[in-house]
Amino acid sequence: MSEVLSRIDDIRTQIDQLRNGRTPSVLGTAAAASAGSGSSATSASAFADALAGTSGAGATGAAGAAGGLATTPSVAAVKGSVATGSGATGADVVSGAKKYLGVPYVFGGESASGMDCSGLVQTVFKELGVSMPRVVPDQARMGAEVPSLAEAKPGDLLVAKGEGHIVIYLGDGKVLHAPRPGKDVQIVDNWYKDSDLSTIRRIVPATGTAPASAAAGASAAGASATSLASLASSLGVTGAGAAGGSGSTDLMTAALQRLMSGGAA
């Protein structure tokens, strides 16, 4: 029994691995230690399933909201991640940009009286509550990078090689931009190929993915917490109603300790 219980401290440190979707080998050891009893072995399996289910429901929802790209709860645009804090989506970016159709190109402009390509981008995101830098080279470093045009979604930003021009992708092979002096903000067929681009950036989550993914993540987390609490209660662990946050970690450890003690006795 003492040999089995000595693993509890290791289990505490390895629980964090489960939150990232990895299953430490210690769970297999726990199940083996409990193999002397049919009911204990069944409980070990159920515990492992509940524990694995608790690990990562939130991460799955966040990733889904951004099309699998890294996310941050920030409201402002950030380097390397999709900003979810404003609640805006790519559809909002497209809708906001279309309000400026027909506005004349003015170098350095940022208003309905005239704007350039980066001024248009900054203004559209500002109106959605998302802070963006002013010039193309800085805008090209915001958000998460989309690997290719085939994976681009409405609201993503396409940055030309040389970072001298930026356009808003609308989907269906269309882009919206402020072209050059003498032209107005307009929608045209996307003429860029992947080889023409410096980068494609996603600043806010793609169209229509955030609500569904968040709901799915919440549902999965709730189901896992209920399963874990039920299992802990069946093992005689008190406080089974507190399966959440740090309480979830304590409950998992206590339940596994009770399970392992029973198997080693």
Side-chain angles (χ1 to χ4, degrees), residues 180-200:
R180 61 181 184 275
K183 296 289 186 178
D184 298 337
V185 174
Q186 58 188 256
I187 295 174
V188 297
D189 291 333
N190 176 37
W191 68 96
Y192 289 122
K193 302 186 297 292
D194 284 313
S195 59
D196 299 323
L197 296 173
S198 170
T199 186
I200 303 171

Side-chain angles (χ1 to χ4, degrees), residues 41-252:
T42 300
S43 296
S45 177
F47 182 84
D49 290 344
L51 193 57
T54 303
S55 66
T60 300
L69 302 177
T71 63
T72 175
S74 172
V75 173
V78 298
K79 296 178 180 179
S81 297
V82 176
T84 63
S86 68
T89 68
D92 298 318
V93 175
V94 170
S95 178
K98 285 181 176 179
K99 294 189 303 183
Y100 292 100
L101 287 172
V103 170
Y105 179 97
V106 173
F107 181 76
E110 304 171 359
S111 70
S113 62
M115 52 180 52
D116 58 18
C117 63
S118 57
L120 170 64
V121 167
Q122 184 190 49
T123 299
V124 168
F125 279 96
K126 180 179 180 180
E127 291 178 348
L128 295 175
V130 181
S131 298
M132 278 283 281
R134 176 59 182 86
V135 296
V136 176
D138 292 334
Q139 292 175 350
R141 283 147 186 75
M142 294 295 105
E145 184 165 41
V146 177
S148 69
L149 281 169
E151 298 172 69
K153 301 293 185 184
D156 289 350
L157 305 178
L158 312 185
V159 182
K161 279 187 174 178
E163 299 181 349
H165 193 55
I166 189 167
V167 307
I168 299 172
Y169 185 66
L170 304 183
D172 298 323
K174 302 288 185 181
V175 297
L176 184 152
H177 70 143
R180 61 181 184 275
K183 296 289 186 178
D184 298 337
V185 174
Q186 58 188 256
I187 295 174
V188 297
D189 291 333
N190 176 37
W191 68 96
Y192 289 122
K193 302 186 297 292
D194 284 313
S195 59
D196 299 323
L197 296 173
S198 170
T199 186
I200 303 171
R201 313 303 292 191
R202 183 164 301 157
I203 309 301
V204 296
T207 306
T209 57
S213 297
S219 176
S224 297
T226 300
S227 176
L228 182 58
S230 176
L231 176 60
S233 179
S234 71
L235 292 171
V237 177
T238 60
S246 61
S248 175
T249 299
D250 294 339
L251 184 57
M252 287 186 280

